[in-house]
Amino acid sequence: MSGTTGPTGPGRPGRPGGASGRSGAATWRNWAGNVSVRPAREAFPASVEELAEAVRGAADDGLRVKTVGTGHSFTSIAATDGLLIRPDLLTGIRRIDRTAMTVTVESGTPLKRLNAALAREGLSLVNMGDIMEQTVAGAISTGTHGTGRDSASVAAQVRELELVTADGRVTTCSEKENPDVFAAARIGLGALGVVSAVTFAVEPMFLLTAREEPMGFDRVTAEFDELYAENEHFEFYWFPHTGNCSTKRNNRSQGPVDPPGAVSGWFEDEFLSNGVFQMANSVGRALPAAVPAIARLSSRALSPRTYTDIPYKVFTSPRRVRFMEMEYAVPREAAVAALRELRAMVDRSPLRVSFPVEVRTAPADDITLSTASGRDTAYIAVHMYRGTPYRAYFTATERIMTAHGGRPHWGKVHTRDAAYLAQVYPRFGEFTALRDRLDPDRVFANPYLRRVLGD
């Protein structure tokens, strides 16, 4: 769930920024509006050579370096008061290899542009998240994921990375070349270097049939294992203060293409899911006592529907209502227990929660700091409408999730530190040792990374 934020002030794409950066940069803000920073410099490199020059120049001047994409992280993972690299000009497909079935793309390319370009070539990613506004580098670096029984996160589909390290060198890594760097840098948090290009595995274009229908909370939780096992991609939303859920099952299909009708699709995806939902949340923010009644109405508003289309049109949806979000990855076998505890907590508390809770899954992967590293995973995401107090809800949720060994999403609100994260990531020390080797002077450090990785 998310939207998009464009650059603020001077330094828009196409205006001069130079490889080494420009002083007097404008204030940058993330999509949710909870993070803002005024860097000493901005740079808009248009090639990997200019990117490397910018990193070297900042390091020589004693400036920290961070890269921002479209600002969809709720944490300050990309914030810096040093050099802020804007990859707006690092876009486009470098090459498509139909023998290896890969595509290599510049790091600043938004996922929506990549998806459209692949579709024109008769190709597709195997899985993706529920929005596509992020840059490819931002998506993989923070662990963006969708839901899948067999297919994992966006980063798990990466076959090769090009990375500019703290000394300005350009390093290529894959399972065969610099495999230790590859294992960590696919979800590198911006701590190991600046990603300049990404090579993804792709498949010939296929179709998905989506089946969306309401279902009771008790039934979903009782049948969760079956629903997970029987569908390639299963997810659901539970509406707090109700016993109602909305479920979605996506499975490969022989077709034919049968998308939602123009009017009915607009009614569901824009009018109800964005327009009416925005208004309902605004009312709930002004009148918290009305939230349970609004939740009951909202949970009954969406009708069952089935449609078939190419993957990115099924996986992703427009999300224009702004919010704050926390998401935890728990062992898949703990998902139902954690969700039931979350419901019990909301029911006995004075909290008024107007946003549904999102539940998704992913298979275990081998990426060092992936939230699914080494274990089959369920994701439980909680949201609050922007401008609504969220800390009490998130704190109580975090207490439940950490009791189950939960791992916080790297780009979403959480309070965990390196001491906790070292306990839930068996390969945490492997990542920090690599960071010591690649960035001993902490060119890519910032307060967020100091908290989650240590000094």
Side-chain angles (χ1 to χ4, degrees), residues 31-235:
W31 175 80
N34 66 307
V35 177
S36 63
V37 65
R38 189 177 183 90
R41 294 182 194 166
E42 275 186 327
F44 286 80
S47 66
V48 65
E49 292 79 15
E50 289 187 2
L51 175 59
E53 181 186 343
V55 171
R56 284 193 297 268
D60 289 345
D61 292 341
L63 294 176
R64 305 297 183 198
V65 178
K66 301 305 296 181
T67 303
V68 294
T70 53
H72 282 79
S73 290
F74 298 85
T75 66
S76 56
I77 189 169
T80 186
D81 58 3
L83 173 66
L84 190 68
I85 294 173
R86 307 290 295 272
D88 306 65
L89 304 178
L90 288 171
T91 62
I93 290 176
R94 284 190 185 178
R95 62 184 174 273
I96 293 173
D97 185 333
R98 292 184 183 272
T99 301
M101 288 303 288
T102 60
V103 59
T104 301
V105 61
E106 303 284 352
S107 60
T109 305
L111 283 168
K112 60 184 176 183
R113 288 179 56 186
L114 173 60
N115 285 331
L118 288 176
R120 290 192 295 270
E121 297 289 336
L123 301 170
S124 177
L125 298 175
V126 67
N127 199 359
M128 58 196 77
D130 57 9
I131 66 163
M132 53 179 179
E133 308 301 327
Q134 314 99 309
T135 62
V136 295
I140 66 169
S141 296
T142 56
T144 293
H145 62 91
T147 189
R149 180 190 60 203
D150 308 306
S151 52
S153 69
V154 178
Q157 299 169 64
V158 174
R159 295 295 174 265
E160 184 177 282
L161 283 179
E162 183 181 85
L163 192 71
V164 176
T165 52
D167 57 5
R169 286 188 296 179
V170 180
T171 298
T172 301
C173 60
S174 65
E175 288 184 348
K176 295 181 179 179
E177 185 177 4
N178 298 309
D180 57 335
V181 178
F182 183 67
R186 282 175 286 171
I187 299 181
L189 317 185
L192 305 177
V194 180
V195 175
S196 51
V198 184
T199 299
F200 289 104
V202 293
E203 291 194 10
M205 182 60 71
F206 56 95
L207 297 176
L208 288 172
T209 292
R211 178 183 171 191
E212 301 175 1
E213 65 176 327
M215 193 177 292
F217 179 92
D218 292 338
R219 180 185 169 192
V220 173
T221 53
E223 299 179 9
F224 177 72
D225 288 341
E226 290 82 3
L227 290 164
Y228 162 81
E230 292 170 0
N231 295 281
E232 293 175 82
H233 309 274
F234 174 69
E235 64 184 306

